[in-house]
Amino acid sequence: MLRAGWLRGAAALALLLAARVVAAFEPITVGLAIGAASAITGYLSYNDIYCRFAECCREDRPLNASALKLDLEEKLFGQHLATEVIFKALTGFRNNKNPKKPLTLSLHGWAGTGKNFVSQIVAENLHPKGLKSNFVHLFVSTLHFPHEQKIKLYQDQLQKWIRGNVSACANSVFIFDEMDKLHPGIIDAIKPFLDYYEQVDGVSYRKAIFIFLSNAGGDLITKTALDFWRAGRKREDIQLKDLEPVLSVGVFNNKHSGLWHSGLIDKNLIDYFIPFLPLEYRHVKMCVRAEMRARGSAIDEDIVTRVAEEMTFFPRDEKIYSDKGCKTVQSRLDFH
């Protein structure tokens, strides 16, 4: 009896190892090998084993709320609003077994304030491979939709691309970068997918997530932050209600926002307009330290100070906010 059990286990192990070797060459062979292993052991699941060697869309994979919160709090600097709203929005959405619509977030603020970085954090917490996942899709306006005369073509392509990917994985994530450079009208092609429909042409989009990144509204966010600073109030006192209504109206009326007169705003299909505040000198220093740690270097406060002081700040008289946020920290650190 013991010998039979040992042989059965050894055979299963050999077949699984063989499956791993051929995984890069022939998916069908992998399936046959795993199927044989399952038959021998009597308890191995094809999906469980296959998903160890290839990325699978696991709709039942829970969101690790603690890990997400830690990532946002420790890696995103000076953005108390974005940290709070994104955490609550994602955890609430993923804990809802029957959402009525996809989660749609619109992130706004000047370059270097953390919009791209936070979309990377979100992607990594939703799918293990992050931005490299087959279920996370990044669109860059100037790369994927460069020609104004091809708007109709782009709209058709965008609909087909999203429909195909959501059909393959209901938990797909779509990130649209440089929304402020997107030709108005293109994004309205995805309006049916963001609406409160149970299905569109037989496909449910309710578990998908859409994230828009835009510099549009940066001036409105800075004005509010400056008003608080000049009134002697802390930036942490700024609440979402102080900015979200202004942002939605400002972006809707901004011809350079990509959401100009968009039905997504008009029909209230964007769940949250999330402001990214301009970064102060102390936040730039945090970014320098984080980059040093990422490189495996010891934290040298003299270098941290020198890099931060090389940045330029605005307004001209008060010099409170970095005009590039933390965007050039990596390249400047290379000189030290």
Side-chain angles (χ1 to χ4, degrees):
M1 178 71 73
L2 291 175
R3 181 176 178 81
W6 181 86
L7 287 172
R8 187 165 57 248
L13 178 60
L15 285 169
L16 292 178
L17 290 174
R20 190 166 190 174
V21 170
V22 301
F25 305 100
E26 181 58 73
I28 295 176
T29 306
V30 177
L32 292 174
I34 293 172
S38 299
I40 291 173
T41 62
Y43 64 83
L44 291 175
S45 162
Y46 174 88
N47 286 335
D48 289 343
I49 302 302
Y50 181 78
C51 293
R52 294 184 185 182
F53 310 123
E55 186 182 20
C56 293
C57 177
R58 303 295 294 264
E59 294 187 26
D60 58 343
R61 181 176 180 268
L63 173 67
N64 188 332
S66 298
L68 173 62
K69 186 174 184 180
L70 190 64
D71 278 349
L72 290 170
E73 291 178 346
E74 292 191 351
K75 299 177 181 179
L76 188 62
F77 306 125
Q79 304 298 352
H80 68 284
L81 283 175
T83 296
E84 178 183 8
V85 176
I86 290 172
F87 174 73
K88 289 183 177 179
L90 279 177
T91 53
F93 180 73
R94 288 300 297 270
N95 288 335
N96 186 349
K97 300 301 181 183
N98 187 30
K100 301 302 181 185
K101 67 178 292 297
L103 178 63
T104 308
L105 309 175
S106 193
L107 281 49
H108 298 267
W110 295 127
T113 52
K115 301 186 302 297
N116 288 89
F117 186 51
V118 84
S119 65
Q120 176 182 329
I121 291 175
V122 168
E124 289 171 351
N125 278 271
L126 293 173
H127 295 283
K129 290 189 176 182
L131 294 177
K132 295 180 180 179
S133 170
N134 292 325
F135 313 121
V136 177
H137 312 280
L138 174 64
F139 299 96
V140 181
S141 297
T142 52
L143 175 64
H144 295 103
F145 316 109
H147 305 295
E148 188 172 6
Q149 65 271 24
K150 294 184 178 181
I151 289 180
K152 184 60 172 66
L153 174 63
Y154 295 149
Q155 288 177 325
D156 292 341
Q157 291 175 337
L158 192 53
Q159 286 185 340
K160 290 177 182 176
W161 180 258
I162 292 176
R163 183 182 298 113
N165 282 286
V166 174
S167 297
C169 180
N171 294 336
S172 291
V173 179
F174 301 93
I175 303 169
F176 293 82
D177 195 10
E178 297 184 347
M179 280 292 293
D180 49 300
K181 297 180 178 66
L182 184 68
H183 301 297
I186 291 178
I187 202 63
D188 277 6
I190 70 171
K191 178 182 173 295
F193 306 148
L194 306 187
D195 216 327
Y196 291 82
Y197 298 123
E198 186 172 349
Q199 290 187 344
V200 178
D201 292 333
V203 179
S204 174
Y205 297 86
R206 291 182 168 187
K207 292 186 177 181
I209 295 177
F210 294 81
I211 302 174
F212 305 134
L213 313 180
S214 179
N215 290 352
D219 53 342
L220 301 173
I221 297 169
T222 297
K223 181 182 183 304
T224 299
L226 269 175
D227 289 344
F228 270 70
W229 186 85
R230 287 167 177 164
R233 302 174 65 184
K234 297 179 181 179
R235 68 189 280 127
E236 290 76 18
D237 291 336
I238 302 175
Q239 299 180 39
L240 188 62
K241 65 181 182 181
D242 296 317
L243 277 165
E244 193 172 34
V246 177
L247 267 181
S248 61
V249 173
V251 171
F252 183 78
N253 292 316
N254 185 344
K255 290 185 178 182
H256 304 290
S257 75
L259 288 167
W260 179 64
H261 287 184
S262 171
L264 274 59
I265 298 178
D266 191 42
K267 300 299 182 181
N268 298 310
L269 298 180
I270 295 178
D271 297 296
Y272 297 96
F273 289 86
I274 304 176
F276 279 67
L277 304 174
L279 298 182
E280 301 173 6
Y281 176 80
R282 59 191 170 109
H283 302 128
V284 174
K285 295 182 77 171
M286 291 178 184
C287 292
V288 179
R289 294 188 191 102
E291 178 61 22
M292 285 181 162
R293 284 192 290 269
R295 297 183 182 191
S297 304
I299 305 300
D300 186 324
E301 288 299 331
D302 288 338
I303 294 178
V304 170
T305 299
R306 288 204 297 271
V307 171
E309 289 180 348
E310 288 174 3
M311 308 291 277
T312 53
F313 294 80
F314 72 96
R316 180 180 299 177
D317 296 331
E318 292 133 313
K319 295 183 178 179
I320 308 167
Y321 304 120
S322 169
D323 62 0
K324 294 184 179 66
C326 286
K327 201 171 185 68
T328 59
V329 161
Q330 292 185 0
S331 59
R332 289 181 181 275
L333 190 57
D334 292 336
F335 287 95
H336 296 275

